[in-house]
Amino acid sequence: MEQNNSNYKNICKNRINEATNKILEMFKTGNVPETIAILTHPKIKLPSNNWSLRNRLIMYLQGTQDARGFNMWKEAGRTIKAGSKALYILAPSIIKEESEEKEEKLKLIGFRPIPVFKAENTQGKPLNYENIPLPEFKFLEVAKSWGLRVEGIGFISSYYGAYSSSEKKILMASPEEEVFYHELSHASHDRAGLLNKRNIVQKEIVAEFCSAVLCYLVNKKTDRLGNSYKYLESYCGNKPVHAEVLNLISDIEKVLNLILEADRKLKEGKNDNKNIL
């Protein structure tokens, strides 16, 4: 068994290196496929669609796409579960002032915290976006083995997917595998103990390049590298994409190895080493 495990690891390492080198060469030479539109789940109307970006980020980081105040949940036919804790968004505090010309003007004097509750902490009438089905993604069982819930959500024009470390959840506003691999890579980066040690640009470079490699490994070839290149380019700015990826190659290798090793353990005893990916 040890010999088989060693062979498996060597095969995985070789395939990771092969895919990484091929993708990097394409990025370096600019020989990248055109971008392809990413499919999304049906768009949904939520009160939070009208919130500021800061407040929406507060909500997303708590692992939910829908948060509302007590009265808004009551209007929706739902109640707050006992023991649930609110999260707080910021609302502007505005007063009216009278100018010298005796005209009323509005003045911002600060912000006040407003308690809202996540949809997951409510119960009652069904929500129109619940239980969106997802494809059987490759490596989905890896996510589950790490204690992560993968849920389909409606598209709200701001992101295709999200990973919440605190909630142990991957939210999918798209049925595309590249989106799932991106979020799974964030989770693996987190599991490796490196996610919180990297800035936002580094996190996104690692997750998106890992997603490209996983797509390549699973499909043997992929027509979606253009999507990854454009995404990485948006984070790399004026710096060459392949150079920025190479700066993070150690993180990338650790993230990919964790995913493939978890996949191996799940398959152990079920598949032989001829079809490992």
Side-chain angles (χ1 to χ4, degrees):
M1 180 64 75
E2 287 184 9
Q3 183 64 38
N4 287 341
N5 290 348
S6 178
N7 290 340
Y8 185 95
K9 289 180 180 179
N10 288 334
I11 293 171
C12 284
K13 183 176 181 180
N14 290 338
R15 290 192 175 182
I16 288 172
N17 289 339
E18 177 189 349
T20 297
N21 291 333
K22 283 188 177 180
I23 295 170
L24 279 173
E25 183 61 26
M26 292 178 74
F27 287 176
K28 185 176 181 179
T29 60
N31 186 23
V32 180
E34 296 293 324
T35 58
I36 297 175
I38 295 179
L39 298 176
T40 62
H41 292 146
K43 188 174 180 179
I44 54 174
K45 294 181 180 180
L46 297 173
S48 56
N49 290 3
N50 298 318
W51 293 359
S52 68
L53 176 60
R54 176 173 55 185
N55 282 334
R56 293 201 305 274
L57 286 174
I58 290 172
M59 179 181 69
Y60 299 151
L61 289 173
Q62 295 300 316
T64 189
Q65 63 160 348
D66 189 4
R68 313 180 197 183
F70 179 87
N71 288 332
M72 294 197 79
W73 281 124
K74 187 176 180 180
E75 289 173 9
R78 295 178 72 87
T79 57
I80 313 299
K81 295 177 183 176
S84 297
K85 293 182 179 180
L87 60 98
Y88 289 84
I89 59 174
L90 299 174
S93 292
I94 298 174
I95 61 172
K96 290 182 179 180
E97 282 189 336
E98 193 172 278
S99 66
E100 294 179 358
E101 294 79 20
K102 294 187 178 181
E103 292 181 356
E104 281 192 347
K105 292 185 177 181
L106 300 178
K107 180 180 179 181
L108 175 67
I109 60 172
F111 293 86
R112 65 186 189 280
I114 300 292
V116 292
F117 295 87
K118 299 188 296 183
E120 292 81 357
N121 290 337
T122 67
Q123 57 193 1
K125 289 184 178 179
L127 295 164
N128 60 4
Y129 57 80
E130 286 185 313
N131 301 318
I132 294 177
L134 289 171
E136 285 296 317
F137 296 116
K138 179 77 173 178
F139 306 122
L140 182 60
E141 292 303 315
V142 170
K144 292 178 180 178
S145 73
W146 290 347
L148 299 173
R149 285 190 297 163
V150 183
E151 299 178 359
I153 60 174
F155 184 63
I156 51 177
S157 302
S158 55
Y159 67 100
Y160 295 111
Y163 163 67
S164 171
S165 177
S166 60
E167 297 290 324
K168 292 194 173 297
K169 186 186 294 185
I170 289 175
L171 300 175
M172 294 288 299
S174 166
E176 301 281 15
E177 64 177 352
E178 65 186 280
V179 176
F180 172 66
Y181 296 155
H182 181 104
E183 303 309 332
L184 181 64
S185 296
H186 276 316
S188 184
H189 207 191
D190 191 15
R191 196 172 179 84
L194 297 170
L195 188 68
N196 291 332
K197 296 179 181 179
R198 305 292 180 254
N199 61 39
I200 183 64
V201 172
Q202 293 168 328
K203 292 175 184 178
E204 293 306 316
I205 289 174
V206 169
E208 188 60 21
F209 191 79
C210 287
S211 173
V213 173
L214 291 172
C215 281
Y216 187 94
L217 290 174
V218 170
N219 297 329
K220 302 302 184 284
K221 64 177 182 177
T222 178
D223 55 1
R224 294 192 170 274
L225 290 180
N227 290 11
S228 293
Y229 186 81
K230 286 295 183 184
Y231 188 89
L232 288 167
E233 197 174 42
S234 70
Y235 277 96
C236 293
N238 295 326
K239 298 177 181 178
V241 171
H242 69 278
E244 292 304 293
V245 170
L246 283 172
N247 289 336
L248 290 161
I249 201 67
S250 176
D251 283 35
I252 288 167
E253 288 178 348
K254 288 174 182 175
V255 166
L256 291 169
N257 281 326
L258 273 178
I259 293 171
L260 296 182
E261 177 65 10
D263 187 55
R264 177 191 68 80
K265 289 180 178 179
L266 289 169
K267 289 180 173 179
E268 203 167 56
K270 295 181 181 179
N271 291 340
D272 60 25
N273 290 334
K274 294 179 181 177
N275 280 317
I276 63 170
L277 288 173

